[in-house]
Structure formats: C-alpha cells, structure tokens
Amino acid sequence: METTGTSTAKLFNTGKACFVAILLFCMLQLCPFRLMWQVGGDDLSYLSHAFTIALDFDLDYSNEPATSTSGNGKLASHPLGPGVMAAPFVALFSIVDRATGNPVIANHALYSGSWSYFGFLFSSVFYYLSGIALYYRSMLSVRVVPAATAFLLLTSSGAAYFAMNRFTLGHSFEFFLFAVVFWGTIRVWSAGRAPVPSVCAALAIIFCLFVRPANINVLILPLLLLGGLTSAGSWGGWRRLSDSLWPLYLSTALFAVPFALFNHYLYGVFYPNMTVLYKSTAAFSRYGIDPANTGKTVLVLSGQVLASLVHLPNLLFGSEHGLLYSTPLSLLGTVLLLVTLLRCTLPTAPKVLMIVLVLGYVALPLAIVLLWKTTAGSYGYRYLFPIFPVGVMGYLLWFSGVRAFTPFALWLNRILVVLCLFSVLSQVFFSMTQKLEVREGINGFGINYKASANGYDLALAGELLNPRAWLLMLAKKTPGFVAFNAVQYLGVDPEGMAGKGGVGADYRRALDRMKAFQHGSLVFSPGAYLLQISVLLAYIAWFALCYCRTRPLESD
C-alpha cells in the first residue's frame, strides 16, 4: 500500500476539516423544499413502487399516483428495483403517518410533507452515503487517500444531485450497488477467497439489473476490476483470476435464477426490455425499427451509434454537462486505466483482454447516450454513471507506485481536484438561477429538446462569481428551508421577509413555484418539516463522524 499526498490533500487531511466539509456539502446539496412538492413522470413510478410495497404490502397499483404503466398494464412503468430498496425506509417512517392519521396512508397521492415521503428521501441519502463509504474503504485497500480528498473525488460522480435533490429517481440506489460490486471485488483481491464479499457483490450485480436493466455491463465489472489490480503487480496466470472470481460468478448465477423467475411473474419475460417496462416503442420508432426484430434492431442501432460518434467530443468536452466537467473522474480515470494497462508488464493475451473489457464496458453507456442525444432531462449524463467505478480504479492504479511522485502526476492530481470541485459546485447550483435552469431549445447534439442545458458549464462559471447566485442557492437549499419553516413556526410570513427586488424577487419566484407543486388539500406543518430535516442532518453528521474515523484494515 502506497501513501501519497499533495498540498491540496494536506490542506484537508484533518478530521475536523473533513467533518465540516461533508456537513457543508450535504447541507448545500440537499433541497428539502422538494418534500413540499408534487413530482411527476418517472419520479411518480419509482415512488409508486415504494408506496405499494411499504404502505399496502402488495403490488396492486390501482391506488398509486403513477401516471404510466408497464407493457402489461399491471405495474407502474420503470424498473421496480429502486422501490424495493426504498420500501423498508418508507415503511419505517410511515409508522408516524399511521400514528398521526396522515391521509397518505389512505390516499397515496397526498404524499407531500408526509413521513412516508421523507422515508424515500432518507433511503436515497442513506444508500448514496453508504456507497461513498464503501468506495472509500476500497480505496484504502489500494492506496491511502486523505479522507476529504477522497470525498471530493467520490462526490464528483454526479449522483449526489439525485441522492439529495431529485431523490425520487433511482440513481442513488444505482450508485450504491456499483459501490458494493467495487468493494466486494477489492476484498476478494486483498483477502483471497472471501465468501461474504463475493456473495454481496453477486447480489449487488443482480440488484443493479433490477434497478436498471440497461446496466448489463455490470456483469463484467468484477473481471475488469480484478484484471486492473492484477496488472499493477505480477501476473499470476489465468488460474489466479479464476480462483478469485469463480465464487462471485457462481453466486451471481444462483441469484440470477430467482431474478429471472420474478421478472417472468411480473412481466411475462425473464429479462425486461423497454417495451415491457415502459409500454412504448417511441425510442425505436424514431429509427423506423420494430423491437421484435432483434437482428434488424441491433444492426440499425449499431449504425446509429457509429454515425453519432461525431458528437463524442461534445459529450466529453461540450458546455452541456461535458463529462470532463460533470464527472471528471469517470473520464480521466478511465483514460488512466487504459494507459496503465498499456504500460503494464502483463503478457499480451491478458493485456489485450483487459483493454477490450474496459472499452466494451464503457461503450455500452456511451452508446445509449449517443442514441438518445440528450441529457435525459436532468443533471448531467446520468446514463454514464456506470463508468464511475472504472474511473475510480484507474485513478487508484495510476497514483499508486513510483510514478505518483513525478511532477506530472502531482499536477494531474491538482487538475483533477479542481475539476472535481467544479463538478461538486455544478451539482449544488443546478437549477438555482434562471441561467442554470434547463429550457426548451437546441441542445449540445444539435436537436431541439424540451430540457436543453446547452451552455450550462459556461453559465455556471459566470454565476459562481455572482454573489446573488450564492445567496439564492443558500435560500433554496437547507439553510433557506430551515429559515423558511422556522419563521412560519414562529408565526412570521416568510414572503414578507423576502423583499421586492434582487434576491428577494428570485426567492419569491421560488416560493410561488413551490406552492404550484403543493397539493391543495394538505395542511402545512412547519414543525414536522423541521423535525424531518433534523433527523436527516443528525444521520449525516453521524455518517461524517464515522467516515472521518475510517482507517485501513490490517489485512489491507
């Protein structure tokens, strides 16, 4: 295990500084006002999955708020996995709703402000922070990274926005599951045949497919990661790889059987596709193909991907959430992993295999984005999140060993830290001012899209220098939420305090938008909101304390 450091790392390499940094990040990333809002579209489907399991203990969607159904019309559209993972937390916090007679128990559409809805937010934050902890523990098995620096690198994934802001999507659960696979593979490498990590990683692989079936490339992730770790040392032969991985893949095969049978029970197929999950062929009809014709579908979509490669520079470096600025570790880490493999001393056959695995793994999510030609209507290129564990591995391998102390490596590390800081701020400020909101227009791929963010990164660079943007961000995040509810709890009208101009006008606009999202029949309870955010912040503080005290295992 190698220990390296930079001036940036030393600046944050104290327990107190790390603790404060984590609390500050979470408070600025959290948008608790969403607890007061009504959601729509994809979010309602995931929420309905969780509610029908946790509140009704069934899969009857007749009383759920979802507005779209699966292909057979029996379930809400979108994968069931996030709802299954959130359900225990929703059920736990729904105890308060049942005790107080909250109408959400009888009418799930009245979820705004309920403890059941808060349970979904809590689960999203819980899984996201647990993923951070697993990645950090895994990093310490390969290289000692200062706690705060590691936290900055890991929060640059882009998933924080979906964990603490738009929490009713499934990306925080996806982030956690990839972290479990990463951790399990690292433990298998460092401890030999480790049955518990192998089983955990296998279960995470299956749940990853349950959360998002398009993540089929997760099946080769353990082999890719273990191959990368092997390249950093001496080649022990194919026997060493097989001895390490066969328990993991055997467990995966065993878990795949009930997964396939459950899918067949729900949808009538062993592995769900888009037409089964979403009752729509719009994604295929734009290319004039029938999804039932598998051969033609593969040929046409492959041709479309190749034709769309002209947009790859925009995807990586463009001002609409270019990967270099929105998820820098995914891009730079993957490049570093490929360079590490090219320069390693592995025999030709395994070296070529590992490079092909990396390229193949990354190609799938890239192809999906190139086919959609959009950011999918929210922050960043969220369909590229599966690339993140590959980037983490590339970073760890590159900055381990002698070359980590070269001037080039030190400067590269500083550049990466700056880019990750920009990514974190990008997530915090997304939609906080009019210039940083999505709008209908021509996106970075040159097509007219209802939620274009073209020019976002350039606009963000300007807004970061605007004090008004900072004040408005604070007003819309945790500090503003606490103040908003505290003054109402004391009987003061927050709208009267907002003022008529400047930041006050912007905040009043935000309050009007919040009211538009609220359900008219709900009774507003500022005391309940304050209690909910206190519970969440207490958990975050506990996590920050445990994270800052994390130390490498002796066996690492």
Side-chain angles (χ1 to χ4, degrees), residues 124-192:
S124 181
V125 174
F126 171 84
Y127 284 116
Y128 175 71
L129 293 180
S130 298
I132 293 286
L134 286 172
Y135 269 122
Y136 182 47
R137 166 61 73 188
S138 304
M139 293 171 78
L140 292 179
S141 297
V142 182
R143 170 183 180 260
V144 174
V145 184
T149 302
F151 188 79
L152 176 63
L153 295 172
L154 295 172
T155 50
S156 72
S157 68
Y161 172 80
F162 297 97
M164 302 185 187
N165 197 315
R166 195 176 173 184
F167 58 89
T168 38
L169 290 181
H171 298 297
S172 57
F173 309 97
E174 180 185 17
F175 178 84
F176 167 75
L177 293 169
F178 274 103
V180 175
V181 177
F182 192 94
W183 168 82
T185 305
I186 296 291
R187 293 299 300 153
V188 167
W189 169 74
S190 60

Side-chain angles (χ1 to χ4, degrees), residues 478-503:
T478 305
F481 179 80
V482 172
F484 177 82
N485 285 281
V487 296
Q488 287 209 122
Y489 187 76
L490 297 174
V492 180
D493 180 14
E495 295 191 48
M497 298 176 62
K500 297 182 178 180
V503 176

Side-chain angles (χ1 to χ4, degrees), residues 209-279:
L209 301 176
F210 200 31
V211 166
R212 190 163 177 265
N215 288 338
I216 190 70
N217 55 341
V218 71
L219 291 171
I220 65 172
L221 184 59
L223 178 58
L224 185 159
L225 296 175
L226 197 59
L229 289 166
T230 303
S231 71
S234 58
W235 173 244
W238 299 106
R239 181 64 179 271
R240 179 181 176 186
L241 277 178
S242 62
D243 284 348
S244 300
L245 287 175
W246 77 259
L248 193 157
Y249 279 111
L250 177 61
S251 301
T252 302
L254 294 175
F255 287 134
V257 174
F259 170 70
L261 293 176
F262 189 56
N263 278 322
H264 194 271
Y265 168 76
L266 294 176
Y267 305 108
V269 295
F270 292 111
Y271 198 86
N273 54 40
M274 289 188 64
T275 55
V276 168
L277 288 172
Y278 304 105
K279 199 178 183 178

